[in-house]
Amino acid sequence: MSYWDDPEQVERFAGRAPDHRLLALADTYADPGATTVLDLGCAGGRNTVLLAERGFDVFAVDSAHAMVARTRSLVAAVLGEAESRRRVVVGAMESLDAFADQFFDLIVALGVYHNATTARIWHGALGETVRVLKPGGLLLVSNFSPRTRPKGIVLDAVPGERHLYSGFPASPVYLVEAGGLDADMKARGLTPRSETVTVEVESEWGKRVSVNGLYVKATTRAGTPKR
């Protein structure tokens, strides 16, 4: 059984409160029903169900079948069983074949990209995100920094790999600092809507160092992004 299909982990993620950054961002949308959102790497569904309750046109993807099942159970309580199965699907972040180009107004990618186990998956996931995001659309991101210390453990760089580290329960993971995240986003036509910040939190789990950003996709190849 994988870490992400472990029932204990599924319930731990499902029981967490919705992300505070998403809560603040959701409040800025005057017409949620006209806003198509993807919860990428939905885990146990804490953010998906928030968006469903707020009336957003929400879809969700996760690669773990157990996480998808738990998310569907939460969404079904709001939208019904049929809609939960249509909107919450199993899939890989680097292969979003279920969705058309420029389909989403907002993509929520909180704690998902760093689960890339290779550089190919990392870049593939960013490429797919840009493909399905509308021009002028927003991308909300949180990604662990290499300075994270799970259970106090200093992460080990994977030999021969620039951004891959071992030491997480599910390893390896792809970790970058704020400048690296901004650079990879910029290369794909995404620019920060606000300053990308790094947040450190001490907990029983260890020290979490997260790089948090909000990006907007350019409306034209050379033009200034707008929203």
Side-chain angles (χ1 to χ4, degrees), residues 1 25 116 135 218:
M1 178 187 298
L25 183 59

Side-chain angles (χ1 to χ4, degrees), residues 126-181:
L126 297 188
E128 278 290 84
T129 294
V130 172
R131 179 184 68 78
V132 300
L133 184 63
K134 293 178 182 178
L138 295 180
L139 169 63
L140 182 65
V141 179
S142 182
N143 203 79
F144 279 136
S145 153
R147 289 177 287 126
T148 297
R149 301 288 182 265
K151 302 297 184 182
I153 298 171
V154 176
L155 299 175
D156 292 324
V158 175
E161 299 289 345
R162 185 178 177 190
H163 295 293
L164 287 176
Y165 295 83
S166 60
F168 270 67
S171 292
V173 286
Y174 196 101
L175 309 179
V176 295
E177 300 289 5
L181 184 63

Side-chain angles (χ1 to χ4, degrees), residues 8 12-14 19-20 23 41 54 70-71 90 100 102 106 110 115 129-130 136-137 139 148 168 203 207 211:
E8 182 178 344
R12 182 171 71 87
F13 277 92
D19 186 86
H20 66 92
L23 282 167
R54 292 287 189 93
R70 190 67 178 94
T71 301
V90 175
Q102 301 181 10
L106 169 64
L110 299 173
N115 292 302
T129 294
V130 172
L139 169 63
T148 297
F168 270 67
S203 69
K207 183 169 75 172
V211 177

Side-chain angles (χ1 to χ4, degrees), residues 4 20 22 29 42 47 67 75 133 146 151 165 199:
W4 298 111
H20 66 92
L22 178 58
Y29 286 89
C42 60
N47 294 318
M67 292 292 188
V75 173
L133 184 63
K151 302 297 184 182
Y165 295 83
V199 178

